[in-house]
Amino acid sequence: MPKVVGIGGVFFKAADPAWLAEWYEKHLGIDDLHKSVWQQEAGTTIFGPFSENTDYFGRAEQQWMINFRVDDLDGLMANLRASGIAVETRTEWNSEVGRFARIHDPEGNPVELWEPTKK
Protein backbone atom coordinates (compact mmCIF):
# COMPACT_ATOMS: atom_id res chain seq x y z
CA MET A 1 0.00 0.00 0.00
CA PRO A 2 1.39 3.47 -0.83
CA LYS A 3 2.06 5.58 2.24
CA VAL A 4 3.51 8.86 3.41
CA VAL A 5 7.27 8.54 4.01
CA GLY A 6 8.07 11.73 5.89
CA ILE A 7 7.23 15.35 6.49
CA GLY A 8 7.99 17.44 3.41
CA GLY A 9 7.44 20.82 5.02
CA VAL A 10 5.79 22.78 7.79
CA PHE A 11 4.09 25.95 6.61
CA PHE A 12 2.51 28.66 8.71
CA LYS A 13 1.50 32.29 8.46
CA ALA A 14 3.71 35.08 9.78
CA ALA A 15 3.49 38.85 9.90
CA ASP A 16 7.05 39.09 8.49
CA PRO A 17 7.94 35.71 6.94
CA ALA A 18 11.46 36.65 5.80
CA TRP A 19 12.44 38.01 9.21
CA LEU A 20 10.94 35.03 11.04
CA ALA A 21 12.79 32.61 8.73
CA GLU A 22 16.02 34.44 9.62
CA TRP A 23 15.20 34.10 13.35
CA TYR A 24 14.74 30.32 13.01
CA GLU A 25 18.02 30.09 11.11
CA LYS A 26 19.97 32.20 13.62
CA HIS A 27 18.64 30.61 16.81
CA LEU A 28 17.75 27.04 15.82
CA GLY A 29 19.96 26.37 12.79
CA ILE A 30 17.08 25.77 10.38
CA ASP A 31 18.05 26.91 6.89
CA ASP A 32 16.13 29.95 5.67
CA LEU A 33 13.86 28.64 2.92
CA HIS A 34 14.70 31.75 0.88
CA LYS A 35 18.33 30.56 0.71
CA SER A 36 18.21 26.76 0.65
CA VAL A 37 16.14 23.72 1.57
CA TRP A 38 16.84 22.45 5.10
CA GLN A 39 18.18 18.91 5.20
CA GLN A 40 17.27 17.42 8.56
CA GLU A 41 18.92 14.41 10.12
CA ALA A 42 17.07 11.10 10.01
CA GLY A 43 15.39 10.13 13.24
CA THR A 44 12.19 9.61 15.10
CA THR A 45 9.19 11.76 14.20
CA ILE A 46 5.97 11.70 16.16
CA PHE A 47 2.71 12.65 14.49
CA GLY A 48 0.26 12.98 17.34
CA PRO A 49 -3.16 14.56 17.45
CA PHE A 50 -4.03 15.85 20.93
CA SER A 51 -7.43 16.31 22.54
CA GLU A 52 -9.10 19.57 21.53
CA ASN A 53 -9.19 20.44 25.24
CA THR A 54 -5.44 20.08 25.87
CA ASP A 55 -3.54 22.90 27.53
CA TYR A 56 -0.19 21.38 26.49
CA PHE A 57 0.31 23.86 23.63
CA GLY A 58 -0.20 26.90 25.86
CA ARG A 59 -2.84 29.19 24.36
CA ALA A 60 -6.33 27.73 23.98
CA GLU A 61 -6.56 28.93 20.37
CA GLN A 62 -3.23 27.30 19.43
CA GLN A 63 -3.97 24.56 16.89
CA TRP A 64 -0.45 23.15 16.45
CA MET A 65 3.01 23.08 17.93
CA ILE A 66 6.25 22.14 16.22
CA ASN A 67 8.69 19.85 18.02
CA PHE A 68 12.33 19.83 16.94
CA ARG A 69 14.80 17.06 17.77
CA VAL A 70 18.03 18.50 19.14
CA ASP A 71 21.44 16.93 19.75
CA ASP A 72 22.42 18.95 22.85
CA LEU A 73 19.47 20.39 24.77
CA ASP A 74 21.59 21.93 27.52
CA GLY A 75 23.89 23.64 25.02
CA LEU A 76 21.02 24.94 22.90
CA MET A 77 19.17 26.22 25.98
CA ALA A 78 22.31 28.08 27.08
CA ASN A 79 22.67 29.68 23.63
CA LEU A 80 19.01 30.67 23.51
CA ARG A 81 19.14 32.21 27.00
CA ALA A 82 22.33 34.09 26.07
CA SER A 83 20.36 35.57 23.16
CA GLY A 84 17.63 36.72 25.54
CA ILE A 85 15.13 34.01 24.59
CA ALA A 86 13.09 32.62 27.48
CA VAL A 87 13.36 28.85 27.84
CA GLU A 88 10.87 26.86 29.89
CA THR A 89 11.47 23.39 31.27
CA ARG A 90 9.25 21.24 33.45
CA THR A 91 10.21 17.97 35.07
CA GLU A 92 6.85 16.45 34.14
CA TRP A 93 7.58 16.98 30.42
CA ASN A 94 10.57 14.63 30.59
CA SER A 95 10.03 10.90 30.20
CA GLU A 96 11.66 7.71 29.02
CA VAL A 97 11.68 9.11 25.46
CA GLY A 98 13.84 12.09 26.39
CA ARG A 99 14.06 15.62 27.75
CA PHE A 100 12.01 18.60 26.62
CA ALA A 101 12.10 22.38 26.71
CA ARG A 102 9.85 25.05 25.27
CA ILE A 103 10.46 28.43 23.69
CA HIS A 104 8.25 30.81 21.72
CA ASP A 105 9.24 32.40 18.45
CA PRO A 106 8.89 36.19 18.12
CA GLU A 107 5.29 35.79 16.90
CA GLY A 108 4.31 33.77 19.98
CA ASN A 109 4.26 30.31 18.39
CA PRO A 110 5.30 27.60 20.86
CA VAL A 111 8.34 25.59 19.79
CA GLU A 112 9.15 22.39 21.64
CA LEU A 113 12.75 21.17 21.78
CA TRP A 114 13.35 17.47 22.34
CA GLU A 115 16.58 15.64 23.07
CA PRO A 116 15.72 11.96 22.59
CA THR A 117 17.08 9.48 25.11
CA LYS A 118 20.34 8.02 23.84
CA LYS A 119 20.02 4.33 23.01
Side-chain angles (χ1 to χ4, degrees):
M1 175 176 117
K3 65 179 181 175
V4 172
V5 296
I7 295 173
V10 175
F11 307 98
F12 55 100
K13 296 178 182 180
D16 187 343
W19 181 81
L20 194 58
E22 288 178 19
W23 185 91
Y24 275 88
E25 182 175 45
K26 176 180 178 182
H27 297 291
L28 298 178
I30 298 169
D31 294 348
D32 181 334
L33 70 88
H34 300 98
K35 299 176 187 172
S36 65
V37 177
W38 178 44
Q39 294 293 318
Q40 63 179 317
E41 294 179 10
T44 304
T45 300
I46 297 171
F47 183 79
F50 277 64
S51 166
E52 66 183 351
N53 300 317
T54 188
D55 61 357
Y56 188 70
F57 299 168
R59 302 184 319 245
E61 69 276 7
Q62 193 71 35
Q63 294 296 309
W64 62 273
M65 180 175 60
I66 192 79
N67 168 299
F68 291 117
R69 272 180 281 116
V70 303
D71 60 0
D72 178 4
L73 185 59
D74 292 326
L76 183 57
M77 289 190 302
N79 290 347
L80 292 166
R81 288 178 173 131
S83 294
I85 298 169
V87 179
E88 180 181 4
T89 59
R90 295 185 191 173
T91 305
E92 65 266 21
W93 290 346
N94 299 333
S95 71
E96 67 280 353
V97 300
R99 298 172 48 230
F100 296 85
R102 175 115 17 113
I103 63 172
H104 289 81
D105 73 17
E107 295 203 359
N109 298 307
V111 177
E112 189 169 67
L113 306 171
W114 169 38
E115 182 178 359
T117 301
K118 305 285 190 261
K119 294 181 180 180

